[in-house]
Amino acid sequence: VRVERQRKKLTLLGLGRCGIGPTGAAEIAEYVSGSAVLTNLDLYGNSIRAEGAVALASALRVNGVLTDLQLGNNRVRAEGAAAIAEALRG
């Protein structure tokens, strides 16, 4: 319930170097897909790998407000980068 109340308020989510990994990235992707106000997401240095990037790509396809996404130092490799790029192309 608390997360649902905050979903309409949270515009910036900074989780750099929190060790969330691919599973945590998938959970964050679920939040991102339902947020209508989140504009800035920092996931720098979390080793989300390709699996996490693919999950985030799915969220980006339905989230039309995110304008700043930090994914440096996450080992997303070509597969993850391609998924993100495709999602951003629409």
Side-chain angles (χ1 to χ4, degrees):
V1 174
R2 182 181 295 164
V3 170
E4 285 303 316
R5 279 188 241 142
Q6 297 304 316
R7 189 179 298 257
K8 295 179 182 176
K9 298 177 183 178
L10 190 64
T11 60
L12 185 146
L13 183 56
L15 297 171
R17 297 183 187 198
C18 287
I20 63 169
T23 303
E27 291 177 23
I28 290 165
E30 186 177 326
Y31 177 84
V32 169
S33 67
S35 175
V37 296
L38 184 69
T39 58
N40 186 306
L41 177 60
D42 180 0
L43 297 177
Y44 179 87
N46 277 292
S47 297
I48 67 168
R49 302 182 188 274
E51 304 96 308
V54 168
L56 285 169
S58 294
L60 292 174
R61 286 186 183 90
V62 296
N63 178 297
V65 297
L66 191 70
T67 57
D68 187 2
L69 177 61
Q70 301 296 320
L71 289 177
N73 199 23
N74 271 295
R75 298 185 237 170
V76 299
R77 305 286 184 227
E79 177 188 354
I84 295 285
E86 183 63 32
L88 293 176
R89 275 191 239 88

